[in-house]
Amino acid sequence: MAMLEIEHLNTYYGHIHALRDVSITVEKGEIVTMIGANGAGKSTMLKTTSGLLRPRTGTIQLEGEELTRLAPHTIVTKGVVQVPEGRRIFGQLTVMENLDMGAFTCRDGGRIQKNLDRVFDLFPRLKERSKQVAGTLSGGEQQMLAMGRALMAEPRLLLLDEPSMGLAPVLVDSIFDTISRLNNAGTTILLVEQNARMALQVASRGYVLQTGQIVLSDSAENLASNEMVRRAYLGE
């Protein structure tokens, strides 16, 4: 049974048909990426999966459990946690307060501390800056905080929306290294990313989304060598 199974998903913004009969699967332990141009529907896909948008038709299942009509906060308790595009940290709160917000579904102090230790192990900079106001962090540090906040919710499936957006190349490498480390530690990941080259390097499989439709799906290796992908998304 797949970790995530989405079938025939149709999502609208008013009269705009944003996702058109989209079906994907993510197996337990995988990194699956979705690549596509701006406006292709990638973020809409993640928002629909996490309950922030309600599909008009279609189903979303997590290891056979129906999520399609659940509220976003309930979906988080099931283990589906999103790191939103643009970080969306709480800028007026400290780093520590942001991380505490990520643990809002947990009432076990021991588990919270264990998760905090894990976050600080992955992102030592956050430990150094735990009392700093989050809005004063650099872009890379804010991305670390957004990911750390999500990890405090103990995700079974982590939804990453454009984690490299706006970051310097050296920080992009660091973020993707962290994504690989999270996956190696057992976290299943659905990754939306415009940096197709980096996304296909860390993913095992991928989907190409164009104007709300899946037009191609294959192993990451095959997608990276596909002529259309190379021309449209890899700048070759």
Side-chain angles (χ1 to χ4, degrees), residues 96 98 156 166 217 230:
M96 192 66 231
N98 269 269
R156 294 158 62 194
S217 65
R230 292 169 70 91

Side-chain angles (χ1 to χ4, degrees), residues 3 12 24 28 32 34 58 60 65 71 75 80 85 107 118 124 132 155 158 162 177 187 190 207 212 216 221 229:
M3 171 68 79
Y12 289 74
I24 71 167
K28 186 175 182 178
V32 173
M34 299 193 73
I60 303 167
E65 182 177 5
I75 291 175
V80 180
E85 179 182 353
R107 296 294 179 264
R118 180 191 184 200
Q132 185 169 328
L158 187 62
E162 304 285 5
D177 178 66
T187 303
L190 178 57
Y207 295 89
L216 192 61
E221 182 180 5
V229 173

Side-chain angles (χ1 to χ4, degrees), residues 8-223:
H8 307 297
L9 206 64
N10 288 275
T11 299
Y12 289 74
Y13 292 103
H15 297 296
I16 299 173
H17 197 172
L19 294 179
R20 300 172 178 268
D21 201 41
V22 171
S23 297
I24 71 167
T25 60
V26 180
E27 300 293 339
K28 186 175 182 178
E30 281 192 308
I31 299 178
V32 173
T33 188
M34 299 193 73
I35 60 176
N38 279 333
K42 304 186 303 298
S43 293
T44 300
M45 184 69 186
L46 293 192
K47 289 177 181 178
T48 305
T49 303
S50 63
L52 296 172
L53 293 173
R54 189 62 58 85
R56 188 168 298 181
T57 59
T59 59
I60 303 167
Q61 293 188 335
L62 183 73
E63 293 189 318
E65 182 177 5
E66 186 73 28
L67 302 182
T68 315
R69 302 298 166 187
L70 297 182
H73 67 274
T74 303
I75 291 175
V76 170
T77 68
K78 303 295 183 181
V80 180
V81 183
Q82 182 171 347
V83 179
E85 179 182 353
R87 275 80 83 174
R88 302 291 182 91
I89 60 167
F90 299 102
Q92 301 303 312
L93 302 183
T94 67
V95 167
M96 192 66 231
E97 288 168 337
N98 269 269
L99 295 174
D100 284 341
M101 291 294 287
F104 79 98
T105 60
C106 183
R107 296 294 179 264
D108 184 330
R111 280 171 55 199
I112 292 173
Q113 185 60 51
K114 182 179 178 180
N115 292 331
L116 184 62
D117 291 343
R118 180 191 184 200
V119 169
F120 285 160
D121 180 60
L122 278 168
F123 304 113
R125 186 70 61 85
L126 296 183
K127 186 174 184 178
E128 296 171 7
R129 300 181 183 274
S130 61
K131 297 181 181 179
Q132 185 169 328
V133 174
T136 65
L137 298 175
S138 70
E141 291 165 345
Q142 289 186 16
Q143 184 61 54
M144 294 174 194
L145 180 55
M147 293 176 68
R149 181 181 60 189
L151 293 176
M152 292 296 292
E154 300 180 323
R156 294 158 62 194
L157 174 65
L158 187 62
L159 309 178
L160 292 176
D161 195 352
E162 304 285 5
S164 75
M165 178 180 287
L167 301 184
V170 65
L171 293 176
V172 172
D173 290 341
S174 176
I175 289 296
F176 275 93
D177 178 66
T178 301
I179 291 170
S180 293
R181 289 174 63 191
L182 288 172
N183 180 246
N184 290 336
T187 303
T188 304
I189 296 171
L190 178 57
L191 168 66
V192 158
E193 178 58 60
Q194 275 201 291
N195 188 334
R197 189 179 303 278
M198 293 294 292
L200 292 172
Q201 285 178 11
V202 299
S204 54
R205 293 190 299 113
Y207 295 89
V208 178
L209 198 62
Q210 290 183 357
T211 59
Q213 295 177 295
I214 300 291
V215 297
L216 192 61
S217 65
D218 209 331
S219 68
E221 182 180 5
N222 287 343
L223 287 176

